[in-house]
Amino acid sequence: GDSVTQMEGPVTLSEEAFLTINCTYTATGYPSLFWYVQYPGEGLQLLLKATKADDKGSNKGFEATYRKETTSFHLEKGSVQVSDSAVYFCALNPRSARQLTFGSGTQLTVLP
Amino acid sequence: AAGVIQSPRHLIKEKRETATLKCYPIPRHDTVYWYQQGPGQDPQFLISFYEKMQSDKGSIPDRFSAQQFSDYHSELNMSSLELGDSALYFCASSSGQGAGYNSPLHFGNGTRLTVT
């Protein structure tokens, strides 16, 4: 079945550090890929998405590139802020289904 | 902009009781999804509805049922509650077929259910 494997957390960084959260997936066909962010006590918010190979999703300084050859969708940000502290979920949506499969989430804490 | 509204935000029930969670999707969204997120866990898909018909079913227990009404809001009914049902329940909505693929899911803030 379809699955998403995320880098285990928690991840603790200093402000302005470089962030990478690894995400790899297993799926038949060509799924769409997403990163969602969850702030404490809130629902999941779409951060960025990519719908085909080599697409780059970007938002709020975060980027991720859909790499079909390595089945990866790693999240990166060049300079993190304290306000980026949250849980980040990688997710995929296969074209055959109307649902998302999530990774296990990565807790990010950014220290001032 | 209008978001997905869930009610109640918090709910405390005892074992063997029933609970009803409500979800009001973003206007003009025709697809609703329910997810269950246990403590420290990733969200697990329960069930979804498209145009008031069940479209996909995930790991929803037989004790749970759901439906989508004519105004597109949805309700998740949970009976014979167990301690293990304590979790955050999210509703999400999207528009159009192939939802999620080209139309990302928009999540509500969830209902935190505690079963004692």
Side-chain angles (χ1 to χ4, degrees):
Chain A
D2 301 327
S3 66
V4 177
T5 302
Q6 257 183 264
M7 165 182 170
E8 287 191 18
V11 174
T12 303
L13 296 173
S14 297
E15 206 165 23
E16 299 183 4
F18 184 85
L19 168 72
T20 299
I21 300 178
N22 290 339
C23 170
T24 57
Y25 67 89
T26 302
T28 54
Y30 304 99
S32 290
L33 301 173
F34 304 85
W35 276 99
Y36 279 82
V37 58
Q38 185 176 30
Y39 298 100
E42 298 185 13
L44 295 97
Q45 301 175 26
L46 177 66
L47 183 57
L48 52 85
K49 70 171 185 175
T51 58
K52 61 182 187 296
D54 299 325
D55 262 4
K56 178 187 280 189
S58 61
N59 185 27
K60 299 181 182 179
F62 291 90
E63 293 184 340
T65 301
Y66 190 142
R67 301 286 187 200
K68 177 170 164 288
E69 63 277 11
T70 54
T71 61
S72 65
F73 193 54
H74 304 323
L75 181 68
E76 296 182 337
K77 186 174 185 181
S79 176
V80 293
Q81 305 300 311
V82 172
S83 56
D84 294 327
S85 297
V87 180
Y88 292 81
F89 290 93
C90 185
L92 69 82
N93 175 242
R95 296 191 183 200
S96 60
R98 240 183 240 116
Q99 56 172 284
L100 286 173
T101 297
F102 287 91
S104 55
T106 301
Q107 171 77 55
L108 170 67
T109 301
V110 180
L111 302 176
Chain B
V4 176
I5 306 297
Q6 288 187 248
S7 67
R9 285 298 307 270
H10 302 274
L11 189 58
I12 300 174
K13 292 285 185 178
E14 294 186 357
K15 282 194 305 182
R16 294 180 288 278
E17 286 192 318
T18 61
T20 298
L21 279 55
K22 297 185 178 182
C23 169
Y24 297 87
I26 290 172
R28 289 181 294 283
H29 279 193
D30 49 21
T31 308
V32 168
Y33 311 75
W34 286 97
Y35 283 82
Q36 177 192 57
Q37 185 179 29
Q41 304 295 313
D42 58 294
Q44 295 294 316
F45 173 71
L46 294 178
I47 195 167
S48 64
F49 293 86
Y50 169 66
E51 282 292 346
K52 294 155 278 185
M53 299 289 288
Q54 181 182 308
S55 60
D56 286 302
K57 196 170 183 181
S59 52
I60 184 169
D62 292 341
R63 300 177 288 108
F64 294 5
S65 64
Q67 57 181 322
Q68 186 179 30
F69 294 86
S70 58
D71 63 351
Y72 294 99
H73 94 272
S74 178
E75 294 183 4
L76 177 66
N77 298 294
M78 311 158 72
S79 63
S80 302
L81 286 169
E82 302 173 356
L83 295 178
D85 296 328
S86 296
L88 197 53
Y89 290 84
F90 286 110
C91 172
S93 73
S94 65
S95 64
Q97 294 196 46
Y101 177 65
N102 282 321
S103 175
L105 276 62
H106 298 264
F107 285 81
N109 284 338
T111 293
R112 183 169 297 282
L113 172 67
T114 303
V115 181
T116 62

